[in-house]
């Protein structure tokens, strides 16, 4: 498994989600970010991985972020809005609320 980048506008939400992933025992390389620019900086330093993010970050939407992600990064968009469309070539949508098991199986 590559890097997991957790991106949410509120740092405490991102830390909580990353802690759940760490406690699952499967993931080691997890980065917490609050902006799309942070995500892009870290993603370009890594070879591959997945971004777990909300629809809107502090500086860009998930659509903008997906346009600039390196080729070997996938995306999981966390949303409560069932009308949100995620291009299947770039990622998947995970409806909130979700369980840790749901997130782990999606990753």
């Amino acid at each position: 498994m590559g890097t997991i980048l957790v991106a949410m506008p509120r740092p405490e939400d991102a830390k909580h989600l990353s802690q759940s992933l760490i406690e699952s025992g499967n993931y080691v390389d997890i980065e917490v970010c609050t902006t799309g620019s942070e995500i892009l900086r870290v993603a370009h330093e890594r070879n591959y991985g997945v971004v777990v993010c909300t629809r809107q970050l502090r500086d860009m939407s998930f659509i903008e972020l997906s346009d600039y992600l390196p080729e070997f990064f996938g995306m999981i968009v966390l949303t409560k809005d069932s009308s949100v469309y995620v291009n299947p070539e770039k990622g998947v949508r995970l409806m909130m609320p979700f369980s840790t098991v749901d997130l782990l199986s999606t990753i």
Side-chain angles (χ1 to χ4, degrees):
M1 168 54 70
T3 301
I4 298 174
L5 304 175
V6 178
M8 298 180 162
R10 294 179 23 171
E12 57 273 11
D13 293 339
K15 287 177 185 172
H16 176 73
L17 185 60
S18 67
Q19 191 60 40
S20 294
L21 292 171
I22 291 167
E23 289 172 1
S24 75
N26 297 314
Y27 305 104
V28 176
D29 190 9
I30 298 174
E31 296 279 338
V32 174
C33 303
T34 58
T35 66
S37 58
E38 287 178 281
I39 290 285
L40 293 172
R41 179 187 53 78
V42 175
H44 284 283
E45 294 172 356
R46 304 300 203 282
N47 293 327
Y48 60 95
V50 63
V51 173
V52 179
C53 66
T54 55
R55 290 177 32 193
Q56 186 65 46
L57 299 171
R58 290 183 179 179
D59 59 348
M60 66 181 69
S61 71
F62 79 92
I63 295 170
E64 294 169 295
L65 180 61
S66 71
D67 288 341
Y68 296 110
L69 274 176
E71 179 181 3
F72 297 110
F73 268 83
M75 179 180 279
I76 299 171
V77 180
L78 309 175
T79 183
K80 292 180 181 179
D81 185 353
S82 62
S83 68
V84 170
Y85 174 76
V86 178
N87 182 338
E89 292 180 10
K90 297 194 177 201
V92 297
R93 176 186 70 196
L94 182 59
M95 295 298 295
M96 297 179 358
F98 57 86
S99 69
T100 302
V101 173
D102 292 338
L103 180 58
L104 292 172
S105 66
T106 303
I107 290 173

